[in-house]
Amino acid sequence: MSASHSAQGKEAPYYYVPADSGHPVRTALALLVVGLGAAAWVNGVGWGKWAVLAGFLGVIAVLYFWFGDAIAESEGGLFSKRVDLSYRWGMSWFIFSEVMFFAGFFGALWYVRTITTPWLGDMDHRLLLWPDFQAVWPNFGPAGVVEHFQTVGPFWLPTINTALLLTSGVTLTISHHALRANHRGSAIFWLAATVLLGFTFVACQAYEYHHAYSELNLKFNSGAYGSLFYMLTGFHGFHVIMGATMLTVILVRLIRGHFTADHHFGFEGAAWYWHFVDVVWLGLYLFVYWF
């Protein structure tokens, strides 16, 4: 993430266009390795998991240098207000794509619960297909195909995680206001608290997964419920990790003296993403754990 202007207040009078870069090609190659490794892994090929690991490490390395170049350009005063506007539009469309991503999974949850399950449980389908099928949510499939499992309720870990994320949204907002007031020390403190809360959320969710898998027998193949539970909460957890990592980078930059009270889109872009993650979790908390 980059700022629109340097900490020294320098601003380019033109729209900066960077030179040709090999970063996109290197990222594509690393992602190709991830995809090939994942395909091999799910088919039981031994080297698959190592290829996935190598690909992800490659992606991280490329992003480190790519973001470093963007930060150097920003701090060197190469960016103008037009570049700042481009970053804002880019981040806005990125978050919109993420909204559509999660909308697909929430839509699948709604469709399975309110349409497919009652449809398979009506008289015609019960007589012709699965006489023992029970149209309840969650269900164990026809004729007990799915091993018995227990669902994950809202108490207590999901509720604790909700409190953690909501609190992190508050601390991030306080940090943002402190930065705008040019209180850098306070901004650093509250942003560090936000990062700590974010990674604490991840740790709690990891413990929840262990509990669900080992004690509740809830697995990815536990019918539609198990698949949707792990897809929704797992992808959200991945986004929390990414958001907390972004905020960690912003924290390091803030400590190094980057950003000004008026120009700090790097901070704002990461904050937008974090608040989006908070809102998605509220939907998960209601529709996955409560309803």
Side-chain angles (χ1 to χ4, degrees), residues 23-273:
H23 294 317
V25 175
R26 286 188 282 268
T27 303
L29 291 175
L31 290 174
L32 177 62
V33 173
V34 171
L36 293 175
W41 193 359
V42 299
N43 285 283
V45 181
W47 53 265
K49 59 183 178 182
W50 301 111
V52 170
L53 176 61
F56 273 122
L57 291 177
V59 171
I60 293 172
V62 174
L63 291 181
Y64 175 83
F65 291 107
W66 198 347
F67 287 177
D69 288 348
I71 291 171
E73 292 163 357
S74 173
E75 292 304 301
L78 298 178
F79 292 168
S80 64
K81 292 181 179 179
R82 291 183 178 180
V83 175
D84 180 274
L85 184 61
S86 295
Y87 273 113
R88 292 177 184 275
W89 273 109
M91 194 65 184
S92 299
W93 282 114
F94 171 69
I95 292 177
F96 176 76
S97 72
E98 294 282 62
V99 171
M100 294 296 101
F101 176 84
F102 279 102
F105 287 109
F106 278 108
L109 177 64
W110 168 81
Y111 189 85
V112 170
R113 290 183 59 172
T114 62
I115 295 180
T116 304
T117 299
W119 180 61
L120 292 175
D122 67 25
M123 188 60 68
D124 291 338
H125 288 89
R126 290 186 63 182
L127 291 176
L128 296 175
L129 296 176
W130 302 309
D132 297 328
F133 182 80
Q134 299 295 319
V136 296
W137 181 262
N139 61 72
F140 301 100
V145 172
V146 178
E147 292 183 11
H148 280 261
F149 61 86
Q150 295 176 265
T151 60
V152 180
F155 299 110
W156 280 100
L157 273 180
T159 300
I160 292 173
N161 269 347
T162 302
L164 287 172
L165 276 190
L166 291 178
T167 304
S168 72
V170 173
T171 57
L172 181 57
T173 301
I174 294 174
S175 176
H176 188 199
H177 283 287
L179 178 59
R180 294 181 64 181
N182 208 25
H183 298 154
R184 187 171 296 271
S186 180
I188 291 172
F189 173 82
W190 289 108
L191 184 56
T194 304
V195 171
L196 178 62
L197 289 168
F199 283 115
T200 302
F201 173 95
V202 175
C204 288
Q205 190 169 48
Y207 177 79
E208 179 188 68
Y209 275 13
H210 173 74
H211 170 72
Y213 192 89
S214 61
E215 299 182 31
L216 304 181
N217 197 38
L218 179 61
K219 304 175 182 178
F220 194 80
N221 60 356
S222 296
Y225 177 86
S227 298
L228 288 169
F229 173 81
Y230 283 112
M231 290 295 284
L232 277 162
T233 59
F235 272 120
H236 177 268
F238 173 75
H239 282 71
V240 172
I241 294 173
M242 293 301 297
T245 303
M246 291 164 61
L247 290 176
T248 301
V249 174
I250 297 301
L251 176 61
V252 172
R253 294 191 61 192
L254 199 57
I255 293 173
R256 290 182 176 180
H258 296 189
F259 309 125
T260 66
D262 297 323
H263 306 294
H264 49 265
F265 176 68
F267 187 110
E268 291 180 324
W272 291 358
Y273 188 83

